[in-house]
Amino acid sequence: MAEFFNEYIFGDGPWSWLGYVIAALIACILIIHVVAVGAMGFIWLERKVAGRIQDRLGPTRVGGKFGWLQTLADGIKLIAKEDLTPDVADRFLFKIAPYVAFAASFSAFIALPFADGVVANHVNTAVFFVLAVLGLEVFGVILAGYGSGSKWSLFGAMREAAQVVSYEVPLGMCVVVPVFLCGTMNLTTIGNMQEGFITNWLVFNDPFTFVIAIVYFTCATASVNRAPFDLAEAESELVAGFHTEYSGLRWSLFFMAEYGSMFLVSGLAVILFFGGSNGPIPVGDWLANLLGGVEGSIGANLPSLGAITVGVIGVANFIFKGAIGVTVMIWIRWTFPRLRIDQVMAMCLKYCVPIAAFCFVGAVGWEVLDLPTPNNLDEKSRYEYHEKWSQEYLKTQRESVPTENDTHVQQAVPAEAIVTTVAVSQSDLDVNGGKQ
Amino acid sequence: MSATNIDDPRVIEFDVRTDEMIINMGPQHPSTHGVLRLALRTDGEIVSDLEPHIGYLHRCAEKIGENLTARQFVPYTDRMDYLAAMNMNLGWALTIEKLLDHDVPEKGRHLRVLICEMNRIASHLVAMGTYGLDLGAFSPFLYAFRERERILDLFEKTCGARLTYSYIAPGGATADLPVGWTAECSKFINQFKKVIPEFHTLLTTNAIFIARTTGVGILSPRMAIDYGCTGPVLRGSGVYHDLRFHGEERYTELYDGYEFDVICADSETGKYPSSHQEVYKDGLEYPDVPSDAILGDCWHRFYVRMLEVVQSVRLVEQSIVKYDACSGSHGEPIKLTQKLPVGEAYLETEAPRGQMGFYVVSDGQSNPWRVRARSSCFSNLYVTAPLCRGVLLADVPAVVGSLDVVMGEIDR
């Protein structure tokens, strides 16, 4: 996008930085809007699902029969409310904490691919990036609890701190399994490697990954502070926990962050275990073939009709599966009582960690012993499942490189190209090493 | 602490000890059941000491009683335990009847059993629902309130009120039950019997619920008696005591000819009476006591209430039959300015939360000379301090919720 601006407006002159700034701003606004609208949708979903679980209707008035606009109405109400800061609060920390939580939750979406190529930024180590940025959200909670100057908020913050060290360990161990099975940290590649029928999903790869998927979902629920792990905001014990003193828009930022993270961790679960943007049946590919294949193109730079179809179906698959994950979290929240802090820590450290460790070893053993799996990941080349654009890029690179220089591909690629295509790792450029 | 010297190995322990924090739980707090204020002394998450403060809902009910006639005081008893107002009415009515030596006709007796046991069901439903809320489970609360609404609808048909009924009055009741009320009531009871297992799947047998409540807040039978605990709190500790069996004759004769059990774990086998199986002839079984549960813990107190609901269902079923068989008067209430004979009367009844006692002294006027109410929740509340010493912060709502206190009754 930045190149587009520079090409048509600013040129290569001293004003070229403006193109980057505008492109970044547009990207930020897009991400915030996509995620915020998504979060509002999930807030509506939670109210409806909770209503049905509790034998009532949920919102029915605002925005038609199903109360579609209830969240928007609530949002307007929250914006109109007075923004209170307690006298004893640490004003700076108190004010910045919601933005930390909000920014962390939303910026993790930068690296989350909704389908092949439908991602804000192609990050080669997306798994690492998402987990690291999601971990920052905890800082928002702790700062809020500490900065509020309320004892209840402080309790919430300390609980969050105790909880984070409990669930981060098993969560990391669970995420590592799909990473080593696919041999990449690129989320798009992991998703693409599960294409085909439902049996190709990593959750069905072997019995251990099935267990790992369940452990991951448990830890993910803990990581987004959802019941039964919502200790930091336990309303029956800590009034409202870390956000006791917040009102209006600042409070709603925490709320949005929570729902954003809920979709984020479900989306991560979808990519790592449940096939990414691939549906249970590869309908998308069939349709694409009917419409003239993915490779063909209509115009000069426009993707083909088949490619667009595959993309749309992929995004729909991803959002649908992510929404199912969110619904399960909602379902759990409105069914179970809350755990106690010692029980949360016992669950994460005494049960989840050993189970995750055992399954990690088991999954490694399964691959080492070459036991049968539906997906046969070890026979697949990671290279073939990269994002489409990087494959095309590699193809052009390979064509331009003379055969005698095969072992020195790196030199043949212009330094600038390597910088701009971080998603293409060095080993992938090695044509002979294309097969794992 | 000052007595320790430097050679004392415990000194190091004191050195690394963190500061204690005193926090107020309440009077505005989501889980303190009204306006209870608990002053907690916490060491991190551990509650080292706790003191309940009461009086935020004090309305001088006893003093008001001295300025009103016996009949006029009935609405004030409603506002004591507002979740079981019928049982409060009954306690006051029986006390005044005892002072007057007035007997209620047979139909009025069955009407009182019917109404009071219905209110006991409603009251225990609130206790169960809010206990789920205290532990973070929101949905059981709404399930419980859905059923309670149906009971309130029935009550509304008897007296027009949904919370403060003033229905049972000294001498009988303000009105007879409307035509067709008992049929509606049996319809509700039949439907309600099917719903009870839902609560067990949501709470009683839920693994997290069991983990949160078993072994927490263990109240030994000795301590329960020493503190004067009554009702489900006492029976949850395995003390076989229910005023419907063990009370004064004027009260127990209400239940003459009724078949029901005192819900209390057998002191030797630890088993609960199995008569509730009779209600479920189609084979629905009640959950077993989990292996972690210790007699007198929160789980047992909760479970006793759940089983008492079934006993109340049995009583309601029997009383509907008996009431329908009766004819004649339900018992007219005493006159508004009825003069009370010189003397005094004290009577305790088994309200849903324990023994509710009323004491009346009269000097021969219409207004009593002195009114005193003995609150069960007051005694029950004061075991929170010993039960909560050394527990985690999250256990405090669990313990207070299992005692099921109503501040209106404590403060009066």
Side-chain angles (χ1 to χ4, degrees):
Chain A
M1 203 193 291
E3 279 113 34
F4 170 82
F5 282 119
N6 285 340
E7 197 176 333
Y8 292 102
I9 303 170
F10 303 111
D12 282 341
W15 293 101
S16 64
W17 59 272
L18 256 176
Y20 289 98
V21 169
I22 291 174
L25 278 177
I26 290 174
C28 279
I29 290 165
L30 263 179
I31 281 203
I32 285 177
H33 278 80
V34 165
V35 182
V37 168
M40 282 171 76
F42 287 121
I43 292 169
W44 172 84
L45 182 75
E46 164 127 42
R47 299 180 71 154
K48 274 315 232 193
V49 171
R52 293 292 166 176
I53 287 174
Q54 294 168 351
D55 202 8
R56 53 191 179 85
L57 292 173
T60 52
R61 298 289 177 88
V62 190
K65 197 184 166 193
F66 299 103
W68 296 107
L69 297 176
Q70 183 67 50
T71 326
L72 196 68
D74 285 348
I76 292 167
K77 179 203 76 176
L78 286 169
I79 291 167
K81 274 190 151 187
E82 189 184 354
D83 180 23
L84 286 169
T85 310
D87 268 355
V88 289
D90 185 324
R91 294 185 78 86
F92 177 69
L93 293 184
F94 184 83
K95 293 204 162 169
I96 203 161
Y99 301 120
V100 173
F102 180 78
S105 166
F106 277 39
S107 53
F109 278 92
I110 288 171
L112 193 75
F114 280 58
D116 189 353
V118 189
V119 59
N121 195 5
H122 304 279
V123 182
N124 207 11
T125 53
V127 176
F128 184 72
F129 178 85
V130 168
L131 283 183
V133 174
L134 193 64
L136 283 177
E137 198 197 335
V138 176
F139 277 99
V141 172
I142 294 175
L143 287 181
Y146 182 76
S148 287
S150 158
K151 288 168 181 176
W152 296 115
S153 303
L154 188 65
F155 262 115
M158 290 305 109
R159 281 184 177 191
E160 178 71 20
Q163 203 179 323
V164 76
V165 293
S166 315
Y167 69 72
E168 286 280 352
V169 180
L171 187 72
M173 290 170 105
C174 295
V175 167
V176 160
V177 172
V179 168
F180 92 78
L181 282 178
C182 298
T184 174
M185 275 188 157
N186 189 329
L187 284 172
T188 312
T189 313
I190 294 177
N192 287 350
M193 284 178 89
Q194 304 173 54
E195 70 179 23
F197 283 93
I198 187 169
T199 47
N200 278 358
W201 294 2
L202 282 180
V203 65
F204 303 118
N205 196 52
D206 56 64
F208 299 105
T209 50
F210 189 79
V211 178
I212 280 279
I214 295 167
V215 176
Y216 169 83
F217 200 77
T218 311
C219 297
T221 312
S223 79
V224 292
N225 279 330
R226 291 289 294 186
F229 304 103
D230 57 343
L231 297 164
E233 51 190 298
E235 80 277 353
S236 62
E237 297 149 23
L238 304 184
V239 190
F242 67 91
H243 60 62
T244 307
E245 304 293 340
Y246 282 89
S247 63
L249 196 61
R250 285 180 207 283
W251 179 81
S252 75
L253 287 182
F254 278 119
F255 208 52
M256 298 282 256
E258 180 185 332
Y259 284 85
S261 319
M262 266 168 78
F263 183 71
L264 185 82
V265 292
S266 329
L268 201 59
V270 167
I271 295 171
L272 293 177
F273 297 103
F274 298 98
S277 57
N278 301 297
I281 303 163
V283 176
D285 296 345
W286 298 341
L287 270 178
N289 287 334
L290 277 178
L291 294 168
V294 184
E295 300 298 328
S297 56
I298 307 168
N301 289 318
L302 287 172
S304 70
L305 202 60
I308 293 173
T309 315
V310 170
V312 168
I313 290 177
V315 171
N317 272 331
F318 180 81
I319 291 178
F320 180 70
K321 284 190 279 188
I324 286 178
V326 174
T327 313
V328 170
M329 284 184 185
I330 293 171
W331 178 23
I332 290 172
R333 170 170 175 188
W334 297 105
T335 308
F336 285 139
R338 185 181 304 112
L339 285 165
R340 215 163 50 204
I341 184 70
D342 59 324
Q343 288 163 348
V344 169
M345 295 175 80
M347 181 162 179
C348 288
L349 293 172
K350 274 166 79 178
Y351 299 108
C352 286
V353 168
I355 292 171
F358 174 75
C359 290
F360 176 79
V361 174
V364 172
W366 199 278
E367 291 298 309
V368 168
L369 298 175
D370 213 11
L371 291 168
T373 62
N375 199 351
N376 286 325
L377 281 169
D378 50 341
E379 289 171 16
K380 287 183 176 174
S381 159
R382 164 163 47 102
Y383 162 72
E384 288 168 24
Y385 291 93
H386 267 318
E387 294 110 314
K388 296 277 185 305
W389 69 270
S390 65
Q391 286 177 34
E392 308 234 330
Y393 173 80
L394 280 177
K395 215 179 282 171
T396 56
Q397 287 302 315
R398 224 175 300 163
E399 279 158 10
S400 69
V401 171
T403 33
E404 59 268 27
N405 283 346
D406 254 358
T407 47
H408 306 289
V409 176
Q410 206 183 338
Q411 294 171 357
V413 179
E416 193 188 288
I418 290 181
V419 172
T420 52
T421 59
V422 281
V424 185
S425 67
Q426 218 173 32
S427 64
D428 291 323
L429 290 173
D430 188 347
V431 176
N432 294 331
K435 295 267 176 192
Q436 273 183 309
Chain B
M1 212 183 291
S2 56
T4 54
N5 58 52
I6 201 71
D7 298 325
D8 190 331
R10 285 174 299 171
V11 166
I12 295 163
E13 200 181 314
F14 291 133
D15 282 343
V16 296
R17 198 162 159 172
T18 50
D19 281 350
E20 286 187 333
M21 190 157 80
I22 293 169
I23 49 175
N24 279 310
M25 197 182 227
Q28 281 94 28
H29 189 279
S31 75
T32 51
H33 294 253
V35 284
L36 171 64
R37 175 179 153 222
L38 299 168
L40 306 174
R41 184 191 291 275
T42 57
D43 182 8
E45 279 272 332
I46 297 164
V47 177
S48 55
D49 201 3
L50 175 151
E51 196 182 340
H53 291 268
I54 60 169
Y56 291 93
L57 205 55
H58 185 60
R59 292 149 300 173
C60 311
E62 290 175 2
K63 189 68 189 167
I64 290 170
E66 293 168 17
N67 297 305
L68 295 174
T69 65
R71 180 82 169 76
Q72 282 173 328
F73 187 61
V74 173
Y76 290 87
T77 61
D78 281 331
R79 284 147 183 86
M80 290 187 181
D81 185 351
Y82 41 80
L83 295 176
M86 292 289 190
N87 297 68
M88 297 290 113
N89 294 166
L90 179 73
W92 176 250
L94 285 173
T95 314
I96 295 298
E97 282 159 19
K98 186 182 175 185
L99 188 65
L100 293 168
D101 201 21
H102 179 102
D103 284 317
V104 175
E106 189 73 358
K107 194 176 177 186
R109 172 167 87 96
H110 298 308
L111 183 147
R112 285 180 171 189
V113 172
L114 172 54
I115 289 290
C116 287
E117 293 305 323
M118 283 290 276
N119 206 344
R120 194 185 302 276
I121 295 172
S123 170
H124 281 341
L125 281 175
V126 177
M128 188 217 79
T130 51
Y131 194 45
L133 214 55
D134 286 344
L135 297 174
F138 200 88
S139 297
F141 174 75
L142 284 138
Y143 283 95
F145 266 60
R146 183 188 63 194
E147 301 308 317
R148 180 171 175 264
E149 282 299 303
R150 294 189 173 126
I151 297 176
L152 296 192
D153 287 344
L154 286 169
F155 283 166
E156 197 180 356
K157 283 174 185 158
T158 65
C159 61
R162 292 174 70 83
L163 190 71
T164 49
Y165 314 107
S166 305
Y167 181 55
I168 296 171
T174 51
D176 200 355
L177 294 176
V179 178
W181 193 88
T182 47
E184 277 179 57
C185 187
S186 24
K187 205 173 134 196
F188 162 75
I189 287 292
N190 287 331
Q191 174 264 339
F192 180 64
K193 281 198 286 192
K194 295 192 188 81
V195 175
I196 295 175
E198 282 181 15
F199 301 135
H200 288 285
T201 53
L202 274 170
L203 285 179
T204 320
T205 54
N206 183 295
I208 298 176
F209 180 82
I210 290 173
R212 283 295 304 276
T213 53
T214 53
V216 173
I218 301 160
L219 180 67
S220 70
R222 183 72 255 164
M223 199 168 132
I225 294 167
D226 285 351
Y227 273 82
C229 296
T230 46
V233 178
L234 180 69
R235 291 191 286 278
S237 294
V239 181
Y240 186 83
H241 187 78
D242 186 328
L243 283 186
R244 287 176 290 178
F245 273 102
H246 306 110
E248 216 171 303
E249 204 195 330
R250 187 167 276 277
Y251 181 55
T252 51
E253 70 182 9
L254 276 182
Y255 290 89
D256 274 354
Y258 283 94
E259 272 183 36
F260 68 104
D261 284 326
V262 176
I263 298 301
C264 173
D266 192 282
S267 54
E268 280 166 22
T269 58
K271 286 213 182 334
Y272 281 94
S274 58
S275 61
H276 48 75
Q277 304 288 7
E278 291 170 24
V279 181
Y280 290 104
K281 292 192 179 66
D282 48 351
L284 280 167
E285 289 204 354
Y286 259 71
D288 290 330
V289 179
S291 54
D292 299 336
I294 300 162
L295 193 62
D297 64 9
C298 293
W299 192 89
H300 275 276
R301 285 193 282 276
F302 175 82
Y303 193 52
V304 163
R305 286 195 189 93
M306 294 302 292
L307 293 187
E308 277 188 6
V309 165
V310 184
Q311 296 301 327
S312 293
V313 166
R314 285 179 75 193
L315 280 165
V316 169
E317 281 179 332
Q318 294 170 41
S319 62
I320 287 174
V321 175
K322 287 183 203 267
Y323 173 84
D324 283 342
C326 288
S327 57
S329 168
H330 63 279
E332 287 301 322
I334 58 169
K335 290 205 298 287
L336 201 63
T337 52
Q338 171 92 39
K339 283 212 163 26
L340 301 173
V342 179
E344 58 176 29
Y346 180 69
L347 191 107
E348 282 193 347
T349 54
E350 185 73 31
R353 286 172 180 75
Q355 298 177 8
M356 186 68 203
F358 282 102
Y359 178 59
V360 184
V361 184
S362 170
D363 57 358
Q365 292 180 335
S366 321
N367 298 358
W369 185 77
R370 173 82 169 100
V371 173
R372 165 94 179 108
R374 187 266 180 209
S375 158
S376 53
C377 293
F378 182 82
S379 311
N380 290 353
L381 175 68
Y382 275 86
V383 295
T384 44
L387 289 190
C388 289
R389 275 188 201 117
V391 302
L392 290 168
L393 185 67
D395 288 333
V396 174
V399 170
V400 176
S402 76
L403 299 172
D404 185 26
V405 290
V406 165
M407 294 314 289
E409 192 194 317
I410 295 174
D411 291 340
R412 301 191 283 286

